[in-house]
Amino acid sequence: RFWLAKEGARMSITFAQSFSHKGVKLVTIGWTAFIGENLLLSSNRDMLVQELGGEERYKQLYGALSTAACGTIAYGFLWHGWGRGPVL
């Protein structure tokens, strides 16, 4: 069971119920995107460098996708999770 911190009161919720919380969803999506992006871009690096027209464009793509994924994690945690989401 997890605890939901809400206005000073704590309510017990199940693991499945915790995924209905917006912060949990955003953090989960962000981490999944970050891991997937790293696996896909790293595994296909040579082909992507060639298709994108060079190393610089590859790094720009990698950086943009990483920034978006990390931004989703930060947004979910800082604006929807800190003090409001499920607590172990």
Side-chain angles (χ1 to χ4, degrees):
R1 291 205 172 267
F2 293 91
W3 296 97
L4 182 64
K6 190 172 189 177
E7 298 174 12
R10 293 184 97 117
M11 303 174 3
S12 177
I13 61 173
T14 66
F15 182 74
Q17 289 171 323
S18 70
F19 281 96
S20 66
H21 186 271
K22 186 174 184 176
V24 173
K25 286 180 185 177
L26 288 167
V27 170
T28 302
I29 289 168
W31 272 112
T32 303
F34 183 77
I35 292 167
E37 162 251 321
N38 277 286
L39 287 172
L40 290 173
L41 293 182
S42 296
S43 298
N44 298 300
R45 184 181 183 285
D46 294 333
M47 185 269 301
L48 286 169
V49 167
Q50 184 178 1
E51 291 293 321
L52 294 171
E55 185 75 25
E56 187 63 30
R57 291 228 173 175
Y58 171 79
K59 288 180 181 179
Q60 289 172 346
L61 175 65
Y62 211 123
L65 293 175
S66 289
T67 300
C70 290
T72 303
I73 295 166
Y75 178 73
F77 181 71
L78 296 173
W79 277 270
H80 297 286
W82 193 295
R84 288 167 270 192
V87 178
L88 292 175

